[in-house]
Structure formats: structure tokens, C-alpha cells
Amino acid sequence: RFMPFAGLWLLLGLSSEGSEPEPAPAPAPTVRSAVMQCGPGVPLCGVLTLETGEGPGLYGHPTPSVHGLWPETGAYGSSACIRPRGSAVDPAVLFPCYAVRGGIPSQELWFETHEWGKHGTCAGVADATDFFTQVCSLSSTPLEVLSASRAAGKSLPQMQSDLESAGFAVFSVDTANSQFELSACASNDGVWKLAPVSRFPALCNGTVPPQPPPDPPPSPALTCKPFTHGPPCVTDLDC
């Protein structure tokens, strides 16, 4: 679940020339302390995940940065997965909030594509440009808060307090990797808003799409059992 974009090429075994990634173990997912419930009439809800840059290893960066916007679907929450209204084509450019770390552009673009394919295509947006424009806009002010907190030498709990004092609802804290998850929601228009979970129904009321039906159970396998008659033949072709 948690995968930093800065320094990601080190994890993937990419060379500075942008060669294909070599197999490498991904960071262990952080155990979530809560499952998000969107609330009645709210089709989309999720978290905007921000890195303080003070985490271990790959999570250590010079400045705070955005990780991604994640609809809380499946085991993570009750959000629907609403596919893009326009195009699901991968992003072709590096957006500002993913370009600020000075990484190799082709590798940062790889991470953008990962975020789009794993999370953005369930966010109800028009396309990748819409998604990443919203991610950069939503993360701008809270990243300023985190940058000021970090420059002041504050601890993770103090940074959380600063975010909340600035009006941002912290849904979960990844203490192992020094990340904050801010709660967010969207209606069917795919316009995401940062808000406390309790405000979702008022801010993001819409039409919750029907959930896909469960897969039918597999048909019993037809096997031959010694000394046991099978079902009667209907036609000669059955025999």
C-alpha cells in the first residue's frame, strides 16, 4: 500500500539510464488502524497521503511530499470504484507535485503511472490530468504546513496537531513510515474535497453506484468415479 515515489528507482533496481526495473521486494504494507465508511449517499471517499520525509530508508526525503490520493475501496473502506468518465490512458507528463524531488523524470513518471493505475482509475475523475491536477491542488496547503512544522523541528504528533489546527482532518497516521492520511470525499462529479468523515454526507452527497454481483460459485467438476453410474444421457453425444 505504501510506496514512496522519491527514491523509488532504488527500490526497483532502476539504473540512472532508466532501464527496466529488476524484481525487488516492496515495503511491507502498514497495518491500518481504521476502515473508512463513506456514509449514506456518498459514492467516493478516501485519503490524501502525505510523507513528512522523515521516515526510514526510502521514506526519508529533504522535504515533505505527496504520496497519492487513494479511494478507500475493498478492505480499506466502503468507497465505490468509479472508472474515468473520459479516458483511462496513462499520464504522459510529470505533474508539479511529483516533479519537485529532483528525481529522474522518466522514473518519477513511472510512479505517477503506478498511482494512476492503482488508485486514480477508481477515483471518478475524467482522466489522468484531472486526477493529478486535483492531487497537486489538494496537497499544496497541507504540505506547506508540514514543511513549516518540520523546519521547526517538530515531532510527528506535533505535526499532526499543526495539520489539525490548520483545519485538516487526519484520518490515520503511519508512524512506521512517517506519513499522514487526510480524509477526503467526492460526489459523482469526481471533484475531491478534504473534509472530516462526519462531513462527507453534507459535502459529497450523490448516487452510490450498485456494487457488482459476486462471482457465481464454480460448477462441480465432472469426474469419473469407479463402479459408480453417472447421470443419464440426454443425447447420444453425452455417451
Side-chain angles (χ1 to χ4, degrees):
R1 175 80 178 201
F2 290 110
M3 177 78 71
F5 64 86
L8 184 64
W9 60 277
L10 293 174
L11 172 67
L12 295 174
L14 289 169
S15 73
S16 61
E17 290 78 24
S19 59
E20 291 299 318
E22 298 175 358
T30 300
V31 177
R32 299 298 301 280
S33 60
V35 173
M36 179 174 284
Q37 299 298 324
C38 297
V42 179
L44 293 162
C45 64
V47 293
L48 178 72
T49 301
L50 307 174
E51 299 180 29
T52 70
E54 295 188 327
L58 297 172
Y59 295 90
H61 313 302
T63 59
S65 60
V66 64
H67 189 148
L69 175 62
W70 305 336
E72 296 289 72
T73 61
Y76 297 103
S78 64
S79 179
C81 175
I82 301 180
R83 297 301 182 184
R85 301 187 307 276
S87 170
V89 172
D90 288 342
V93 299
L94 195 58
F95 289 85
C97 58
Y98 286 93
V100 295
R101 308 309 298 266
I104 297 172
S106 61
Q107 294 161 352
E108 300 291 356
L109 183 59
W110 183 96
F111 183 75
E112 264 190 8
T113 302
H114 161 79
E115 287 293 300
W116 169 244
K118 188 172 182 180
H119 305 291
T121 54
C122 269
V125 295
D127 52 27
T129 296
D130 183 16
F131 179 69
F132 288 109
T133 299
Q134 291 194 56
V135 170
C136 292
S137 177
L138 289 169
S139 63
S140 176
T141 301
L143 284 177
E144 290 177 0
V145 174
L146 285 180
S147 294
S149 299
R150 179 173 169 177
K154 295 188 177 182
S155 66
L156 197 65
Q158 290 173 324
M159 290 182 183
Q160 178 178 352
S161 178
D162 287 349
L163 284 170
E164 292 172 339
S165 295
F168 299 106
V170 177
F171 178 74
S172 181
V173 181
D174 173 16
T175 56
N177 299 311
S178 195
Q179 298 188 121
F180 292 104
E181 295 182 347
L182 309 184
S183 55
C185 66
S187 187
N188 301 87
D189 58 4
V191 177
W192 286 79
K193 305 174 180 69
L194 295 176
V197 173
S198 61
R199 293 280 293 155
F200 285 0
L203 296 175
C204 300
N205 188 57
T207 302
V208 179
Q211 297 298 312
D215 294 333
S219 301
L222 298 177
T223 59
C224 294
K225 296 182 179 180
F227 312 110
T228 302
H229 288 292
C233 297
V234 177
T235 69
D236 289 343
L237 296 177
D238 296 333
C239 300

